[in-house]
Amino acid sequence: RRKTDTRSSQRQIGLKKVSRLENGETDKYSVHSRVVFKTTMNNPNKFPPRPHHQSEDERSSRPLLGFGNNMMPPFPMPPNLANVGSFGMHPHGMHSHGIQPQFAYPLLVNNVGTSTRPHPFGGMANYNMNMGSFQQPGFFNHSAVYSAGISRSTIEQQGAVNMMSTASMIPRKIQHSLRNRAKEQRDQKVPQPQTSHAQNLPHHYRQQSQLQQQQLHQTPSTASRSRDNNVLQESTDEVIPLRNWIEKESGGDCQPDNVQKQRGMMLRRTLIAYGMIELLKGARTSSHASTCYELLQACNIDNFLVRVCKGEEESKKGDNADQHFVGKIKGVQMINPPSTLLFLTPFGSSGEVNSEEDGDGMGQFIEVEICPRPLANQAINPLEQLVKEKALIRSAGSLIHELYTQGNPILLLYDFQKGKGASPSDDSGVAEPPLKRIKEHPQYVGGANFHSLFPPSQRGNTETASAGAVDQKASRLPLLELGFSSSLSSLVDELLDCKCTLDVASKDLHLILLDPDSFLVDRYFKPAPDGKVSLRIRKNKLYGRDSESSLITSTFCRVRTSGKSEALLIGGYSGSGKTRLVESVLKYIDGISCHVVSHKSEQSSISVITQALDQLCACIKKSCTEDEYLRINSRLVEAFGSDFSILEKVLPSTKLFYDTTRAKPFIPKHQGIEIQNNSVSYILQLFMRAVSSQERPVVLFIDDLHWCDDTSLEIVHDIVSDTKGSSCVYFIGCFRDNEIGSEHPIYQLMENMNMNNIPVQSLGLSGVNRNELNCMTSDALCILPRHCKDLADIIHSKTKGDPYFALEMLRALVDRGLLQFNFPKRRWTWNQANIMYLDVTSNVLHLLKSKMMSMPNQMQTALKVCSCFGSGVDNLLVGCLSEFEKYSSLRGELDQAVEEGFMEKVGEGYKFVHDRVKEAAYSLIEEKDRNGYHYQVGMVLLSSPNVDDSLVSIMIDQINHGVGESVQSEKDRILIAELNYKAGGTAMAHSGFVKAFSYFETAKSLLPEDHWTSQYYFSIRLFLSLSNAAFACGYGNLADEALNAILREAKCLEDKLDAYYFMNNLLFHRGQAKAAFTKCTEVLSGLGETIPTEMDSKELNDTMKKVMNFFTNISDDELLHFRECDSRLHFYLMQFYQQLGWFAFFGQSPSMQSYLFCRSVEIAIRVGFCKYTAVSMISVAALLCGKFKDISNGYRLGRICLSLLTRFNATSLLPTVYLGFYGMIAFNSEPIMHCADQLHMGFQIGMSVGEPTIALLNGLHYIQKSFVGGRNLVALSKEIDYQLEISETHDDNRSKRFLGLFKETLCQIIDKNKARADTTTLSEGAGALDEEMKIEGFSEVVFFHRVIQSYWLGYADRCHYFAQKSAPGEAAVGRLLKLIASFYHGLAALQILRKKKSKVEMKEIARASLKALTAASDLSPINFKNKAELLEAELHRTEVVLRGNEEEKMHARKMYAKSVCSAEAAKFDHEKALALELAAHFYEENGELSNALRNFSEAKLHYTLWGSKVRVAQIEVAIARTETRLTR
């Protein structure tokens, strides 16, 4: 044996057999398997020392030999280790995949007591360990060598020596160790993870490989594999001679009884063929260093064994099971030279081949282990390579031919696809292979006459071995005629003709196993009536996009792991495969706990994003579990109310989430909602927060993003860049980057996302490379890639790698007859020279157009009509058009277009297979005739009696194309204008504001010049709608123009009122509250009302008395059913009073606001109630609770106002009513945290209906109530940040100021460093801030915050100072904040009194505070009782300090305990902590240190829950002080 370089041999371990192409990329078909050279590793201490009769070089240069469990050591085995199983260690170890080389003593023995080792003079020797002697035949003793795994009787019958067990001769320690090791591996039943090389395969093969690996580790295997031991042979394994295996597989039946069984036989024989080729290749370069002569002798079917395993699934066969199925193939063994190939996954295909044209056709991914391993730098004699290599290849081909033809031949499987009948008839060029001819033809399988290739000295007994091996290729029937596939037949023929190497054959066989649907079974290509055959195009298969697919997948994994939203934008020209790329990945992602929704944008889409998210509702309803559905439903109810009235306005499918078991509250239906453009984003943000999560992210894919309008792109930005960050969205958008410029909004979208720190990635697609295009061509033709490489190169050079262009060129070659299907050969053929010089256009559109123009005229008409509607047409549209004679055959022609590959069926509708096809169909219409063509189609729809409202927008889109050229009569123009007005209303209802504005503009252009006379009322409605749409789109100037036109042309004030009302709102939203107040006053004056310039308190009191007299003398039921206003003029009157009242709140004095609302209620009492009465009444109720201190009547009116909202369906007014009731009234009677939750809903609804000013007022009161109720300070601070950002967006300076004060207060209480800020400086600037803001009473609000900050920071004197500075009125801070300030002022005053006993006036301050809190607790004990009890406890404590009264001490203990219990019942963590802290100070002052320490510790816990680091730090000091005193 020649010596080898150990380092070089180690480098070859685990190397992948990959052929590199000219451009350095890996061809998927050349990556077929990795040969893993498995060795075994044991503890060297368990075995005897290595013999010394061999040199170290000789021992290290002779690797182990063997097959299966029989591994031959490079030294004689001790006779006392017989029959111990297969254990051992190769001295070189393994380097690949992190396995470090280890060295141990080799020990490899077969299972029957016979060891084999190299013979000193060549060949092998069988060593009988029982006899202690060698048996040395001339060459291999086959019967003895392949006896591993065969029963004892079989061995004896074949002449093997009789063995006896010698287990007793094994040392006890080694015997016990080996038995334990074998038992562990048998019990484990799960193979160790194998390193996969699937990452080098194309994406679709890699996914299948990973799936097989998962299945391998999830199900118990029949034989366990281990890294440190060779494969143990289980009782279910069986080694069968290959000839016997073929006979068992064939079962003696000459006719194919089942197509699926025959396919399974073909797959398994192909696997065996692949294993035999791999073994022949490996023997050349392994430690055997086999010569061509030896391998020629090995090319005998009797020289191979098959290792099979039978699991439970094979042992429990059903009636339909294959009775001749031997078992899953586990490996192939070669007897001479001894080698073993094991399949990492046992192969047992049933022959199920995908019969769908667009299926993946995937077989089984094959990974193998080979022993012994090939060595590096193993040279082959050049003369042998030149002369004898061809003989070996030819002999291998003969061996493979015999494998397939031995036993029952497999006949014409391609003929029986899905039971679809017979093979092509004789007139098509294929004659059915006669069974008689096959039976009469003797199956002669022999090799070439190789006797003359070797010198006489090396011939030996080859005369006998090759006695019948004369070359009788002429009499050998080709596999093609036996019904085998053309690919398999051509491979065997090439081997027989020495036209390919063993390496090529191995790659081809592995590819056949990977894709048997294409290469192992010939598909029956059905010819069309014209004799042409269509190509086989796999629609769902992706080529050349592995890195791009990995990017999409890795981004999704990152979103799923982090819970943060991300975006991916993919650019590329039409046909580059953008959509196919994304869809190929999404079909795998869709099953991984996420919601996936895809939507294609059209030029005429109303709102792409809302349509996509509307589809998401159905997706969620279908895929969610019951628990997930209930959680989503609960979140939606929390955000929108139990009937989702606002959300349903934007996303109609949210009605699927209605919880019929939940009682409906007073929230009304959506008829009164007026959605604005700036509110849609907020609504969808709330929706995405509810339906998406880190566990279930939403994957939103929008195709053709470049067609989206600016509004849709803004919504995308707002959803992905949600400030709260509670949603989890993965947005993917595809666009044509070659059709847009750098100024397109898509690039602005990317920039905005980057500015908001949202991870956004961009990806550009171009054509695929030559190798991937070759794969695509191979799949289309069902030809091995190396056979069509030249054709693929030509196509690549003409199409620049454009995938869709390449497929269309293949179809064009078929149509022109340059690519033809040869029926006798059952494969495609072509003339390379003719295709090379073919003049093909560089534009695929011309290619498609030429093909369409060759179709019948009726089909061309059908394609043109469909192209006018975009990417497809639905069944209703086809039905309406088919009613007319001109389009009567439309449905049939579309079905024919499906057959031709132009369109595809989607449900009952039709869709173009690609955008390029749609563009080509549209190009059939001359450019100058396109507008007229659209108009004609639209007018046909208009005349149809079956057109419903769902088709109005589609119909009017067609008519509008030619409206300027084709419409002549005034009657038609008015009709089309009214249709545009209707379509615009539909678009507004679906939040498609940009599209609605376009419809209204078109309608305006169709009006006659005298439309203010001839179409007066229609003009008013149209211009008012145009103004609303313009404002929603942000076109302020156009909105003003439309309103001014109404005000200028309207004939009376009543016709102008809607325009005035909307104009006043525009002024208010622009920050011109005073101008809006003046304009509104003028309108009311025109309606006969007198508005005072200054408010007299007497006049206000008189009006209030009239109103209260009415409410006092009427019952609640009578109020709820009070008559409704039936006068349009009076309705406008109350509407403008309500509007003026809010303008007064923001621009004038609160007293003027009170008067205006009281006057509105007075009018309502006289003329009847309307929806605006609820707003006016809630203001009166707030006035009763505040200024007039009539809390019971105020609360009563407030509850009635909520019911009036339901009566009048006034959801758009809900934020205003919620603000008045829950912000100013309800806290007097209801839990304050319930009020906070309802105010938060008011904030969300206000943002949803496009009222950000009212919404932010609700949000401000929500912050206020949450702070008073003790909500976590950190969470509350984040909510303030969110509302501050909204205030900045809407330029609401008032809200920013008030929110800023709360933010400062929270920061002071949370952060100890900020607690040292000089609050005096801020207080001194309060007057300047008040003057700057022009807000009445703003300074009182500032002083309130200083009171709160000073007390919690421990500054009692400052708290007292700021409380005195605050005005006694309640107009600015409200009753709640005044009570809270009074509470802290009283506590601070008593603290001052205890320190400075001379300031007795402090006690009066505390008693006044206690009196106010006691009165409040009588109305709402849950909100104020704990405060009154704590203040009373502090008064008793002060008396104890001042006078030492024991009775006062007892009362103090009692009241502290009551205050703690009341605070706990109300869930006020901060005030419970405060009560515990003050009680602890009381106990400490009276020497009860244990009680003090316990109370301090509990107070620290609750301050921590509240989130105040400042108070926690103060408590820790007190705890340390108390503990020190206790230790004394």
Side-chain angles (χ1 to χ4, degrees), residues 643-655 658 670 989:
D643 63 351
F644 313 149
S645 53
I646 297 173
L647 181 59
E648 188 181 350
K649 187 75 173 179
V650 181
L651 304 176
S653 294
T654 50
K655 60 187 177 182
Y658 282 163
H670 67 268

Side-chain angles (χ1 to χ4, degrees), residues 430-482:
V430 177
E432 182 177 355
L435 296 179
K436 181 178 180 181
R437 176 187 172 197
I438 297 175
K439 291 178 180 179
E440 291 177 354
H441 198 299
Q443 291 186 18
Y444 180 82
V445 182
N449 186 2
F450 304 126
H451 187 75
S452 60
L453 297 178
F454 301 94
S457 60
Q458 297 184 9
R459 289 179 185 174
N461 296 328
T462 59
E463 292 83 352
T464 304
S466 58
V470 297
D471 188 2
Q472 301 205 19
K473 180 183 175 182
S475 61
R476 182 184 295 114
L477 197 63
L479 293 182
L480 187 65
E481 296 188 22
L482 293 176

Side-chain angles (χ1 to χ4, degrees), residues 1140-1191:
L1140 188 62
W1142 280 109
F1143 293 163
F1145 175 79
F1146 289 99
Q1148 300 294 322
S1149 65
S1151 58
M1152 177 63 74
Q1153 176 201 17
S1154 301
Y1155 169 76
L1156 293 172
F1157 284 128
C1158 287
R1159 175 61 181 157
S1160 177
V1161 174
E1162 188 179 12
I1163 295 172
I1165 294 172
R1166 178 165 49 88
V1167 301
F1169 286 1
C1170 69
K1171 66 178 183 178
Y1172 295 109
T1173 305
V1175 177
S1176 301
M1177 283 179 60
I1178 201 68
S1179 300
V1180 172
L1183 188 62
L1184 283 174
C1185 292
K1187 184 174 183 178
F1188 294 95
K1189 298 187 173 51
D1190 189 354
I1191 296 175

Side-chain angles (χ1 to χ4, degrees), residues 47-65:
F47 301 102
R50 181 178 297 184
H52 297 286
H53 64 272
Q54 293 176 319
S55 67
E56 184 66 23
D57 290 340
E58 182 178 359
R59 287 195 298 269
S60 63
S61 63
R62 186 179 300 164
L64 301 178
L65 310 176

Side-chain angles (χ1 to χ4, degrees), residues 612-636:
L613 295 184
D614 199 45
Q615 297 175 10
L616 177 62
C617 298
C619 173
I620 293 173
K621 181 68 174 179
K622 181 179 179 181
S623 61
C624 274
T625 63
E626 185 66 22
D627 292 339
E628 290 173 333
Y629 166 76
L630 292 176
R631 283 196 297 269
I632 292 175
N633 182 272
S634 178
R635 296 190 200 117
L636 290 174

